């Protein structure tokens, strides 16, 4: 096992694990003149996840929603998996993420550690989901979806395919009625009805789309009126809403509901929430190869994320904060403040932590004093609203503050001027994502997306 970066000791060594919204924001904003920054991540790019659905149907090209991490100056990058953390000796143990080289391992020394390792799609241990369903978490997922859409139409157009088989192949199903599932199905409907079906006019009678949601409504976190509006729009477009319906098994070409009904599909996209990654499970269970490893605290109500204090320092099972070890993004939650796993939450957390680290090292070059002793205030979330595209130039915008005891945010100042549904909400949705991008390459690419099909 080699010790990567051990020779660079002049500056405070900051190791960031993960290149998602939180981790990438820390990389961009931290002062690399004062920190020796190292990134460990399974992917070599940042993904603007709110627009993955647009890439899956071709509205945007894949490169338009990614930003290579190597473009961030003065950051040493290792494309690898973080296997475990030795908190006592301040080392991150990693293994190569490349196929055939997983046994190649190394370690990275840190003075401060940021865990921004995200989360994975939650399959609820339902048999067959991982093997047969498609997901929408990364660019590779979007590529698979785009390919599968065209495969279904091409195969259904062959002369030996019966009408019954055509109907099965051209049933596009989404499981999960949250924003990701709703936005993807809306984009898919636009794509197929406006573009694809004109190439296969004889297949129109066999086309069907449906969304399966175990709850009583789609967009369950949104205001009831907005959820109802979205549902009515879907029904008018011929999209079937299967509410109160849960899946108990998925097979190749079909899935089984808890009622026993068998549903055939050509493509199934699974979007039912998040689950912790293996590293989080290991750190919170005590299942570590390192003797004396402290067991980190995990949330009891929810998906089992790491628990931090209001300065994002991880807590052990006794409630003690680990100094200079931070966790943020989808892998962590703040104690007594259960913020949602969204891009805007992770982005704001990353921005706050980078600013706090910069202030801390200016006042305390050894980083030995906690933030509160340096006059740094705890993180405060500024809610920007919840947005969802529902197709045909329509969107819904819920600008109410979703978390109790959360200070009023930008949405409270603008909610009287922004339509909460329809074309006006769609314009707000697109302009908000454009503003939110904040990354030079992505912003330039998104100019085409804002006016796409207009």
């Amino acid at each position: 096992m080699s010790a990567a970066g051990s020779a660079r000791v002049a500056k405070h060594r900051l190791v960031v694990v993960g290149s998602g919204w939180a981790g990438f924001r820390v990389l961009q904003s931290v002062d690399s003149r004062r920190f020796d920054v190292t990134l460990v991540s399974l992917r070599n790019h940042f993904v603007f996840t709110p627009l993955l659905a647009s890439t899956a149907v071709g509205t945007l090209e894949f490169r338009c929603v990614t930003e290579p991490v190597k473009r961030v100056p003065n950051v040493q990058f290792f494309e690898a998996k973080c296997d475990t953390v030795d908190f006592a000796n301040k080392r991150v143990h990693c293994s190569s993420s490349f196929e055939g080289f997983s046994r190649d391992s190394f370690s990275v020394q840190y003075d401060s550690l940021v865990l921004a390792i995200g989360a994975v799609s939650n399959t609820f241990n339902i048999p067959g989901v991982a093997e047969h369903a498609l997901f929408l978490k990364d660019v590779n997922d979007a590529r698979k979806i785009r390919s599968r859409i065209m495969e279904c139409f091409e195969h259904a157009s062959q002369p030996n395919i019966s009408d019954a088989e055509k109907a099965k192949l051209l049933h596009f199903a989404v499981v999960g009625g949250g924003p990701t599932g709703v936005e993807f199905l809306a984009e898919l409907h636009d794509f197929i009805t406006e573009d694809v079906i004109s190439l296969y006019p004889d297949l129109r009678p066999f086309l069907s789309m449906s969304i399966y949601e175990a709850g009583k409504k789609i967009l369950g976190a949104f205001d009831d009126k907005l959820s109802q509006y979205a549902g009515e729009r879907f029904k008018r477009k011929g999209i079937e809403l299967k509410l109160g319906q849960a899946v108990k098994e998925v097979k190749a070409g079909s899935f089984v509901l808890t009622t026993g009904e068998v549903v055939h599909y050509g493509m199934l996209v699974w979007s039912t929430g998040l689950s912790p990654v293996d590293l989080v499970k290991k750190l919170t269970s005590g299942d570590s190869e390192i003797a004396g490893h402290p067991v980190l605290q995990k949330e009891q109500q929810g998906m089992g994320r790491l628990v931090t204090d209001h300065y994002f320092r991880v807590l052990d099972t006794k409630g003690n904060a680990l100094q200079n070890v931070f966790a943020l993004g989808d892998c962590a939650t703040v104690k007594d403040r259960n913020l949602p796993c969204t891009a805007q939450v992770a982005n704001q957390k990353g921005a706050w932590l980078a600013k706090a680290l910069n202030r801390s090292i200016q006042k305390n070059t050894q980083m030995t004093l906690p933030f509160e002793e340096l006059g740094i205030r705890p993180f405060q979330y500024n809610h920007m609203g919840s947005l969802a595209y529902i197709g045909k130039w329509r969107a819904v915008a819920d600008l109410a503050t979703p978390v109790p005891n959360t200070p009023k945010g930008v949405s409270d100042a603008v909610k009287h001027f922004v339509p909460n549904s329809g074309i006006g909400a769609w314009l707000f949705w697109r302009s908000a994502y454009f503003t939110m991008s904040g990354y030079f390459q992505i912003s330039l690419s998104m100019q085409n997306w804002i006016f796409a099909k207009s």
Side-chain angles (χ1 to χ4, degrees), residues 397-401 408-420 428:
D398 190 347
L399 302 181
T401 302
K408 293 184 177 182
V410 172
S411 62
D412 295 278
V414 303
K415 63 183 178 182
H416 299 296
F417 306 99
V418 177
N420 57 16
F428 178 69

Side-chain angles (χ1 to χ4, degrees), residues 33 48 76 102 136 156 171 178 230 241 283 311 322 345 353 370 386 421 430 448:
R33 296 170 302 176
F48 195 88
Q76 186 174 31
S102 59
L136 195 56
H171 176 214
L241 269 62
L283 295 177
Y311 297 90
L322 275 65
V345 171
L353 181 58
S386 299
S421 62
R430 292 218 161 183
N448 295 328

Side-chain angles (χ1 to χ4, degrees), residues 38 58 133 147 295 327 376:
T38 298
S147 296
V295 180
I376 298 174

Side-chain angles (χ1 to χ4, degrees), residues 15-18 38-42 77-78 80-82 94 106 108:
V15 174
V16 179
V17 183
T38 298
L39 170 67
V40 177
S41 177
L42 285 169
F77 169 63
F78 300 121
K81 177 185 178 183
C82 178
C94 311
F106 60 92
V108 182

